Amino acid sequence: MKNKITLCVSPNLMRFKFLIVLLMFGVFSSQNVLAKTFKNGEVVFAAFPVGNIKNDAFIVGKVKRQLKNGDYLLSVLDYVEGHDYGSSCVPMVKKEDPNATALGYEKGWEMWQDTTKLDTQNLDYVVPKENVLSLGYGKQYFVERNNLYIVFGRWKSDAPVMTLDRIARAQRESKAIGLDELIPVFDLVKYHRKVYYDTNNRPLYAFERVQPAIEMLEQVQVIFREKPEFSKLWKAKQRDWKQISLSSYDYFMIEAVDKVLFDAEDLLYEEGIENAGTDKVEKLKDLVKQLKRTS
């Protein structure tokens, strides 16, 4: 490994796909991507965000130089372990290889198969210029994405209680970093929260939960009606999580709908719900039956 240097070739197709992802996320402004040029020796942040957030990856590296096509040759300082970076780049080891030359890089490179280990001694990595951000901006952006993931996870686990104010703040934070897809997800989270607590944060009795649970499931019906493609994804007997994870909306809304339906069905077995009235209880049962997945 002593004489090996690793390059990542960014084919035009992969670059196009990544740009689509960036536009979908609405994340990287022209100030941070298109107008920013990094100097040799500068420490930068290479971002690889994904729809489900938990699999976000990044590289922190020092710029060795910028290539003619604008991509950056980085010396890797830190990276997220457990990810395959080959989905964005093709690692190369120094050796004569016409394939690398054909892709526009200097002579003398061949493919290096392991795209998950970036801690090899003297490792370099070519990162598409669209991925490279200033270190401070990149770190903050990924921290904010992770914070939103934590908020959602805390709600999903029911501990601690998520207040309406905190959910609304999460929506503002989503907007601020370009994750607008999470805003309607947190809307459903609000409906769920109202099933269990009133406006003064008082826990509701079982019979008091029936009406807000009905309203919550009616909102799920609205989502399915307005988003037929999402409805198909959610109802599929075998969910394609790889495809679902490409979209933050699809991934988080599926998890949110799963939870609200599970909790609504669980409410049907709570003691005392009959005090809500027969009509309301039957309405809730009917909605649960209509929306329940068959798989």
Side-chain angles (χ1 to χ4, degrees):
M1 297 299 294
K2 184 175 181 181
N3 295 321
K4 293 180 180 178
I5 298 178
T6 298
L7 282 180
C8 280
V9 178
S10 176
N12 290 334
L13 179 60
M14 287 306 304
R15 178 172 297 156
F16 175 75
K17 288 181 178 179
F18 190 78
L19 278 170
I20 292 298
V21 172
L22 298 185
L23 290 172
M24 177 182 71
F25 278 42
V27 167
F28 302 116
S29 66
S30 59
Q31 179 181 358
N32 289 289
V33 177
L34 302 178
K36 181 70 173 178
T37 300
F38 300 99
K39 300 177 181 178
N40 293 352
E42 188 173 354
V43 177
V44 295
F45 190 98
F48 299 90
V50 292
N52 65 10
I53 298 181
K54 68 180 179 181
N55 288 334
D56 278 354
F58 64 83
I59 297 169
V60 175
K62 182 180 293 186
V63 175
K64 298 193 75 172
R65 60 189 172 90
Q66 188 173 21
L67 304 182
K68 292 180 180 179
N69 65 357
D71 294 346
Y72 285 93
L73 177 61
L74 305 181
S75 176
V76 176
L77 303 176
D78 191 16
Y79 68 100
V80 179
E81 296 183 1
H83 294 271
D84 186 353
Y85 292 87
S87 62
S88 300
C89 314
V90 180
M92 310 296 287
V93 168
K94 191 166 188 179
K95 192 175 179 181
E96 199 66 35
D97 185 356
N99 291 325
T101 305
L103 288 170
Y105 291 86
E106 295 111 354
K107 294 181 179 180
W109 304 90
E110 71 175 7
M111 279 191 182
W112 183 54
Q113 298 301 321
D114 190 351
T115 58
T116 63
K117 303 293 185 182
L118 308 186
D119 54 357
T120 306
Q121 188 176 6
N122 298 323
L123 176 66
D124 290 343
Y125 209 73
V126 169
V127 176
K129 60 184 177 182
E130 295 87 1
N131 300 62
V132 182
L133 307 168
S134 62
L135 183 61
Y137 177 86
K139 283 185 174 181
Q140 183 62 31
Y141 167 64
F142 269 66
V143 166
E144 289 171 350
R145 283 173 61 86
N146 187 62
N147 286 342
L148 290 172
Y149 182 80
I150 291 172
V151 169
F152 183 85
R154 286 170 59 193
W155 164 73
K156 190 179 174 184
S157 67
D158 294 317
V161 174
M162 192 63 55
T163 66
L164 288 175
D165 286 345
R166 183 63 187 94
I167 299 167
R169 180 152 60 91
Q171 290 180 304
R172 293 193 296 272
E173 292 166 352
S174 299
K175 181 72 174 178
I177 66 170
L179 268 175
D180 294 51
E181 291 178 305
L182 291 186
I183 295 174
V185 176
F186 283 120
D187 279 336
L188 186 57
V189 171
K190 287 179 180 178
Y191 274 95
H192 180 270
R193 196 268 179 199
K194 292 175 183 177
V195 172
Y196 294 91
Y197 298 90
D198 68 9
T199 54
N200 295 316
N201 295 323
R202 177 184 66 84
L204 299 179
Y205 293 105
F207 75 91
E208 294 178 298
R209 300 178 201 162
V210 175
Q211 180 58 37
I214 289 172
E215 295 171 5
M216 176 179 69
L217 296 190
E218 287 176 338
Q219 177 62 20
V220 173
Q221 288 183 317
V222 171
I223 293 169
F224 286 167
R225 185 166 58 250
E226 294 181 347
K227 301 278 188 179
E229 291 304 316
F230 168 78
S231 179
K232 290 180 182 179
L233 284 175
W234 184 84
K235 294 176 180 178
K237 290 185 177 181
Q238 296 294 328
R239 288 174 175 169
D240 184 352
W241 284 105
K242 184 176 181 180
Q243 178 65 31
I244 290 169
S245 294
L246 296 177
S247 164
S248 293
Y249 177 88
D250 290 341
Y251 182 87
F252 287 97
M253 188 63 87
I254 282 176
E255 293 213 326
V257 172
D258 281 349
K259 176 174 174 58
V260 301
L261 283 175
F262 178 88
D263 289 348
E265 184 174 14
D266 192 56
L267 176 58
L268 293 174
Y269 301 96
E270 289 279 346
E271 184 177 353
I273 67 165
E274 64 275 6
N275 292 326
T278 303
D279 291 347
K280 288 185 178 180
V281 173
E282 289 302 315
K283 175 67 172 177
L284 181 60
K285 286 181 180 179
D286 185 55
L287 283 168
V288 168
K289 184 178 180 180
Q290 289 180 40
L291 294 170
K292 191 172 182 179
R293 289 177 71 216
T294 57
S295 57

